[in-house]
Amino acid sequence: QQFMTAYKFRVTLVPILDVLMLLAVRSFHSSSDASSRSLFWAAVIASTGLQTIVNSLQFNAQMTFFAHRVDPAIGGSYMTLLNTAANLGGTWPSSFVMYLVGQLTVPPDCTLDETSGVEVCIGGRDAYFPLQLTFCVLGCLWIYIMRERVQHIAELPDDAWRTHLDDDDDDEADGTAMDAEHANGTVEMENGKGGLNFWKKKDDKTE
């Protein structure tokens, strides 16, 4: 529940704050009034702070989930495997998105105005905003489609995450213990018979 709640904020409020920050940057370049500067820094602080909070919430929920489900049979190896899969899932999208931004962005055509000496740029397309909107929609769709699946995985018993590698060892240990008990019982019986035979022979000699 904590992971999904943090993810909802991550795909909704965080992108909105990022867009506000970029819009404030454009406004700050066009005019140097105090309102644009205040909006820019407020968006930067809010976006960074909220991003840190949701990342911490998701990481905390993820580590708690892994710690409860880790198999004692392989211990740290299982924990490392789960963390590696989770880190890969959260790392490669950043590189992919940056690649798409570079491929889909069209730079403007800039010319130098000879009369005023000012560079004039026309055209161009910034791919950040459409990509941000697209991935926000995809994130919301993922929550709607996969939330029941995520809840089902979270409610699975701990035994569903076990490799059962210890089962064979436990069976062998139980078998060894039973064999040892059987052997001890046989020795005791033989010792008992020996004692009876000894006293019987002693009684015959006495008679």
Side-chain angles (χ1 to χ4, degrees):
Q1 185 68 26
Q2 176 178 321
F3 183 90
M4 294 299 293
T5 302
Y7 187 74
K8 292 175 183 179
F9 285 105
R10 188 170 188 171
V11 298
T12 53
L13 290 182
V14 172
I16 291 175
L17 292 174
D18 290 342
V19 170
L20 288 177
M21 180 181 63
L22 292 180
L23 293 177
V25 170
R26 290 185 175 183
S27 177
F28 181 73
H29 280 294
S30 60
S31 61
S32 59
D33 57 343
S35 61
S36 298
R37 184 176 302 177
S38 300
L39 178 60
F40 168 73
W41 285 111
V44 169
I45 295 173
S47 175
T48 305
L50 186 58
Q51 179 75 15
T52 303
I53 292 173
V54 296
N55 283 341
S56 299
L57 289 174
Q58 286 189 286
F59 181 78
N60 178 266
Q62 176 181 299
M63 291 298 100
T64 303
F65 180 81
F66 290 165
H68 278 266
R69 270 66 179 183
V70 68
D71 192 346
I74 52 179
S77 300
Y78 201 172
M79 193 73 172
T80 302
L81 175 63
L82 294 175
N83 284 327
T84 301
N87 291 334
L88 287 175
T91 302
W92 71 265
S94 301
S95 301
F96 178 69
V97 170
M98 295 300 295
Y99 173 78
L100 288 180
V101 170
Q103 292 295 317
L104 299 178
T105 297
V106 177
D109 295 327
C110 298
T111 57
L112 183 63
D113 189 356
E114 296 180 355
T115 57
S116 61
V118 178
E119 187 178 28
V120 179
C121 299
I122 57 174
R125 182 181 67 245
D126 188 358
Y128 177 82
F129 294 101
L131 283 176
Q132 186 71 276
L133 177 62
T134 300
F135 287 120
C136 285
V137 173
L138 290 177
C140 294
L141 288 176
W142 186 89
I143 293 174
Y144 178 76
I145 296 172
M146 298 298 294
R147 61 182 177 181
E148 293 183 0
R149 174 68 64 179
V150 173
Q151 187 67 27
H152 171 71
I153 293 175
E155 293 175 354
L156 287 175
D158 293 345
D159 187 66
W161 297 84
R162 300 292 189 260
T163 59
H164 301 287
L165 293 177
D166 283 341
D167 294 348
D168 296 336
D169 296 337
D170 293 339
D171 293 339
E172 292 178 1
D174 293 340
T176 303
M178 292 179 63
D179 292 341
E181 291 177 0
H182 179 70
N184 292 332
T186 303
V187 171
E188 291 177 359
M189 290 178 62
E190 291 179 353
N191 290 337
K193 290 180 180 178
L196 291 174
N197 292 334
F198 171 78
W199 288 109
K200 185 176 180 181
K201 291 178 180 178
K202 187 175 181 180
D203 292 339
D204 291 342
K205 291 180 180 181
T206 304
E207 292 177 355

